[in-house]
Amino acid sequence: ILQHRDPTRQLSISTRKRDQLHVPIDLVLSCREDDVLLIPQISQWCREGSESSGVRHCTLLLTDANTHQPPFLDARAGDAAEANGALQGVTNARVLHSRLRPEILREAFARMPQPCRVVVSGPGEFNSAVREMLAEITDVDESVTILPA
């Protein structure tokens, strides 16, 4: 979604400025503490954060380390220490050592300008669990898009 803010540079898609995505984006991202993806990009997006660029607010959730080999061995991933260091002092970002919980979603949803679109993307069981949590907050049929990972 963030790549669509600047589709010409990020996606090599020529798009008129008025057709580009210029809306506030808040990010809630859950990663294992030994497999944190996109740390440099998240830090950059948060530092650029505003109503029409970057990430307005980021909550990075770190769960226990993976006990199995990661599925994408060539993917560049950091760890909890790198994530904490990259986001230290970034006022619109926080790192929590926690699983996703309903109160985290409620807080994030309350902070978003309304009406808003919630996009969820992850493995099937994760998507189902998040959908159930969001059903307590909003009309999922009207404001939630689920994208299978």
Side-chain angles (χ1 to χ4, degrees):
I1 291 172
L2 286 159
Q3 302 302 327
H4 288 275
R5 287 264 175 85
D6 185 3
T8 304
R9 282 189 318 133
Q10 301 297 327
L11 302 170
S12 298
I13 298 172
S14 179
T15 307
R16 292 183 304 230
K17 193 78 163 167
R18 71 169 197 234
D19 293 332
Q20 294 176 15
L21 186 62
H22 294 285
V23 297
I25 295 177
D26 286 20
L27 175 66
V28 178
L29 178 65
S30 181
C31 297
R32 297 207 180 262
E33 63 185 8
D34 62 336
D35 191 25
V36 185
L37 301 175
L38 302 171
I39 295 171
Q41 292 91 335
I42 291 169
S43 177
Q44 174 82 23
W45 290 327
C46 288
R47 292 173 198 285
E48 295 171 353
S50 72
E51 294 298 316
S52 63
S53 67
V55 171
R56 206 173 60 97
H57 190 273
C58 174
T59 300
L60 175 60
L61 303 171
L62 300 178
T63 61
D64 292 337
N66 195 354
T67 58
H68 307 305
Q69 187 170 345
F72 305 105
L73 296 176
D74 294 337
R76 162 74 176 92
D79 59 16
E82 185 179 344
N84 282 314
L87 296 174
Q88 184 176 18
V90 178
T91 58
N92 60 336
R94 66 181 180 161
V95 179
L96 302 175
H97 294 268
S98 170
R99 297 181 67 83
L100 184 60
R101 300 184 317 268
E103 56 269 18
I104 293 171
L105 284 179
R106 269 193 297 279
E107 181 183 306
F109 191 82
R111 191 175 35 248
M112 292 183 224
Q114 299 297 322
C116 71
R117 167 69 45 193
V118 177
V119 179
V120 179
S121 181
E125 289 181 20
F126 175 84
N127 289 349
S128 295
V130 173
R131 187 179 200 289
E132 285 181 30
M133 287 184 234
L134 287 168
E136 300 295 320
I137 301 168
T138 188
D139 180 352
V140 293
D141 293 330
E142 289 293 320
S143 60
V144 177
T145 300
I146 307 282
L147 302 173

